[in-house]
Amino acid sequence: MPQIRPIRDLKNTTVISNLCHETKEPIFITKNGYGDMVIMSMETYEKITFFNNLYEKLAVAESDLKAGRVSDVDDAVNDIRKKYGL
């Protein structure tokens, strides 16, 4: 479940840092009752970034597959061998 904290809680950085590492989720910071910022641990950020990149690559691969831009493994290996003189 997402953590939502008022901006005044950022005064106690140790508590917020511990919360980021314990929950392993982003923490949503509000200002005057409205969403203002999101903070998270570096580990969580790297995980989210990794999966976003993975999903983008999978979307490109699915698009290639639907458009028929595919090749047989043997043909691909032969093309690589020809290209690099292997």
Side-chain angles (χ1 to χ4, degrees), residues 18-84:
N18 289 340
L19 187 61
C20 284
H21 291 285
E22 289 170 6
T23 63
K24 298 184 180 180
E25 292 184 352
I27 298 174
F28 298 89
I29 304 297
T30 60
K31 183 177 180 181
N32 298 324
Y34 296 97
D36 186 49
M37 294 184 281
V38 177
I39 60 173
M40 64 187 84
S41 68
M42 290 296 294
E43 178 183 89
T44 301
Y45 174 78
E46 289 171 354
K47 183 177 93 174
I48 289 172
T49 302
F50 171 80
F51 280 109
N52 284 340
N53 289 335
L54 177 64
Y55 294 144
E56 286 176 20
K57 290 175 183 177
L58 287 172
V60 169
E62 285 180 357
S63 174
D64 287 345
L65 184 61
K66 287 179 183 176
R69 292 186 298 263
V70 296
S71 62
D72 183 77
V73 172
D74 293 329
D75 293 338
V77 170
N78 287 334
D79 289 345
I80 291 170
R81 285 185 177 149
K82 286 179 188 175
K83 183 175 180 178
Y84 296 103

Side-chain angles (χ1 to χ4, degrees), residues 9-21:
D9 285 3
L10 292 180
K11 290 179 183 178
N12 195 341
T13 56
T14 303
V15 170
I16 293 295
S17 176
N18 289 340
L19 187 61
C20 284
H21 291 285

